[in-house]
Amino acid sequence: LVADQQVSGRGRHGRRWDSDGGTLTFTLIISNEPPEHREAMGQYCSFAVGVGISRFLEYEFSPLRTSVKWPNDIYLAGGKLAGILLELDGRHPEYLVIGVGVNIGSVPDITDTNTRQSASGLTQVIGRKIERYQLLDGLVESILEAVSEISNDPISLVRDLRVRCLLTGEKIEYQLDGMTHSGLCLGISEGGGLKIASTEGDIEITSGEATR
């Protein structure tokens, strides 16, 4: 499902994500079957989508290099280039909904004093005009290829996330048990979680959000 314009989109934690004629916004509805694979999908799928997007952009616009802010925000040239939201409907657990927004020809205002993040646009970074729908097929194919690796080669996904991790070596804030904590990001664990050195010792978080 592709939206030419999005006026009431939702990002992570209920944040607003609008789009205009320079943004590529689409949703994939994919199989979450068989049931015995759902645990692995829940563990890896979020960042697999981010890795798939990064792989495609780096191949298509080499030598461009992207970063992934755990679990799956794509960053380019210091700003957020793409956001991803995964959702499950409890009435239909056999399906997984993947929402993607990529800034192609425009840079939206996402000023947020809580996360202190800025945005970037692909056209502005590479210095030439890009038609957003020219990238749709390649992005979808790369995302589906990365998701397929969950069942046969999840280590490759973890490796590719690890080398792109925006937070490794940074002092970060993160949510745990409803409270905000701080620590030093140590990188990505073997299972795709975020390893953090905190005042309580080394921990790993597998869900939620972390910011610099």
Side-chain angles (χ1 to χ4, degrees):
L1 306 174
V2 181
D4 290 325
Q5 185 178 10
Q6 183 171 270
V7 296
S8 58
R10 290 182 297 109
R12 287 172 59 81
H13 304 291
R15 298 191 185 102
R16 188 182 179 101
W17 182 281
D18 293 346
S19 68
D20 57 21
T23 311
L24 178 60
T25 48
F26 61 93
T27 296
L28 302 175
I29 303 174
I30 66 172
S31 172
N32 197 28
E33 298 284 19
E36 58 266 26
H37 290 171
R38 290 176 188 169
E39 182 177 351
M41 287 288 282
Q43 179 179 357
Y44 293 104
C45 192
S46 181
F47 66 82
V49 177
V51 167
I53 292 173
S54 285
R55 286 173 175 172
F56 171 75
L57 293 175
E58 292 178 2
Y59 175 82
E60 190 75 10
F61 301 104
S62 179
L64 177 146
R65 288 292 178 266
T66 62
S67 299
V68 179
K69 185 175 82 65
W70 185 91
N72 54 28
D73 284 342
I74 309 302
Y75 274 65
L76 177 64
K80 183 176 176 178
L81 179 73
I84 299 160
L85 182 65
L86 271 68
E87 293 185 295
L88 279 170
D89 184 339
R91 297 168 299 176
H92 299 283
E94 68 272 23
Y95 297 113
L96 181 64
V97 180
I98 303 170
V100 178
V102 186
N103 303 326
I104 304 298
S106 60
V107 181
D109 179 10
I110 59 170
T111 302
D112 185 332
T113 55
N114 293 320
T115 60
R116 298 181 294 276
Q117 68 180 9
S118 60
S120 65
L122 190 59
T123 291
Q124 287 75 15
V125 172
I126 68 173
R128 61 181 173 86
K129 185 177 180 180
I130 303 167
E131 295 295 335
R132 53 179 174 164
Y133 294 128
Q134 291 179 352
L135 305 183
L136 179 61
D137 288 350
L139 281 168
V140 170
E141 182 179 356
S142 188
I143 289 170
L144 295 179
E145 181 178 329
V147 170
S148 73
E149 293 176 30
I150 294 173
S151 59
N152 54 46
D153 191 17
I155 300 304
S156 68
L157 296 172
V158 174
R159 180 190 64 236
D160 281 9
L161 176 64
R162 185 174 288 149
V163 299
R164 293 175 173 86
C165 181
L166 180 72
L167 300 178
T168 298
E170 299 279 348
K171 292 182 179 180
I172 62 171
E173 293 184 346
Y174 59 96
Q175 300 294 320
L176 188 64
D177 298 328
M179 299 181 64
T180 300
H181 303 262
S182 61
L184 177 68
C185 179
L186 302 176
I188 305 298
S189 72
E190 292 298 322
L194 198 66
K195 298 187 295 184
I196 302 168
S198 71
T199 54
E200 291 79 25
D202 293 354
I203 66 168
E204 177 183 346
I205 60 174
T206 57
S207 63
E209 186 174 30
T211 59
R212 293 188 293 180

